[in-house]
Amino acid sequence: MQAATLIAPAKINLHLEILGLRDDGYHELRTLFYPVPLPCDLIEVMPSPDHDFYIRCAQRPELETTSNILYKAWKAFGEATGFRPGIFVALTKRIPMGGGLGGGSSDAAALLKWLNLEAGDKGLPLQALIALAAKLGADVPFFLLDGPAWAGGIGEELTPAEVDLSGATLILACPDIHVDTAWAFRAWDGKYATANAHESLTSDRGGTKNPSPVSPREMTNDFEPIVFEEHPSLRDIKQTLLNHGAEHAAMSGSGASLFGIYRDRGSATSAVQALEKQGIEIFQVDCP
């Protein structure tokens, strides 16, 4: 086994609806995932002298435990396939934690894909790997794919999507605010779960999937009212993105990161300058 450096990209949710609370305690969603190359985490994998798992994360030493999703991915893959090589992992966190960008999920998917390749004949077919990934976290299966996708269920029912942002500039604003996803769901339940605000839940796996394109006007995020009430500065960031010419702006996931889509490069530059003056970390992506 050779050492390898894995790149774990982020994602944004161009659209996110919470359809309701299921009997199993999970929330049924309808969301459109879109991969973005920046920010990204780096995962250096090296052989270890024994058959155990070791992790180091200089920026976040609190992640150096067996509760880390990378350890869970390594353990789950080993239990499913019998392939469990001893590895040392050096994790460089660049995706903000608690930002709604899927950093931990992307890390897990990157390691699963690497393990699956290294496993050779013991490797899993894609659908089995997706099923394994779903047990680790609702967003993990998406990162096993190579492009935008609609997701239903708790996020594991994936349909490749057509999303045309060609020529657009994506501005990603990452304020220093941590939003706990479990809290966000509980807060949503307390306000909306019994209000039947969306379509009824359905056992039809196809009922929450839609492969059609989505225009910016259709992009919404059901978490925004809850999270903006708790963190009013996030509403201000969204307004700043819009005031500087964003065709659309929204929060990603349960927050706290927000994105703006710009067709004019000058407007995007203006937004970046305005937000950087507020001390907000910004990533800029030119969509192919």
Side-chain angles (χ1 to χ4, degrees), residues 233-250:
S233 63
L234 299 183
R235 180 186 288 107
D236 296 338
I237 294 172
K238 178 178 178 178
Q239 193 60 52
T240 298
L241 291 167
L242 292 169
N243 288 346
H244 286 269
E247 184 176 84
H248 183 74

Side-chain angles (χ1 to χ4, degrees), residues 5-130:
T5 299
L6 315 178
I7 298 175
K11 61 82 181 169
I12 58 174
N13 299 80
L14 293 177
H15 180 86
L16 194 159
E17 289 179 74
I18 306 171
L19 302 182
L21 183 63
R22 306 183 343 169
D23 291 339
D24 61 8
Y26 289 97
H27 289 80
E28 188 167 337
L29 306 175
R30 180 177 180 269
T31 188
L32 178 57
F33 289 124
Y34 186 81
V36 290
L38 296 174
C40 64
D41 289 347
L42 296 181
I43 306 167
E44 296 178 76
V45 185
M46 294 156 278
S48 77
D50 53 34
H51 296 288
D52 212 338
F53 176 97
Y54 302 91
I55 182 168
R56 177 169 175 77
C57 183
Q59 309 103 312
R60 296 276 185 171
E62 69 271 20
L63 298 180
E64 299 173 358
T65 71
T66 55
S67 63
N68 189 293
I69 196 170
L70 284 168
Y71 172 79
K72 293 177 180 178
W74 172 81
K75 181 181 179 183
F77 189 85
E79 291 173 347
T81 65
F83 180 73
R84 191 185 305 193
I87 56 174
F88 176 86
V89 171
L91 172 62
T92 302
K93 287 296 295 180
R94 294 176 176 173
I95 302 175
M97 296 175 64
L101 301 177
S105 296
S106 185
D107 294 346
L111 185 61
L112 284 177
K113 286 191 286 187
W114 179 82
L115 286 168
N116 211 42
L117 286 173
E118 290 290 318
D121 293 342
K122 293 184 177 181
L124 300 172
L126 179 59
Q127 288 306 311
L129 195 63
I130 287 175

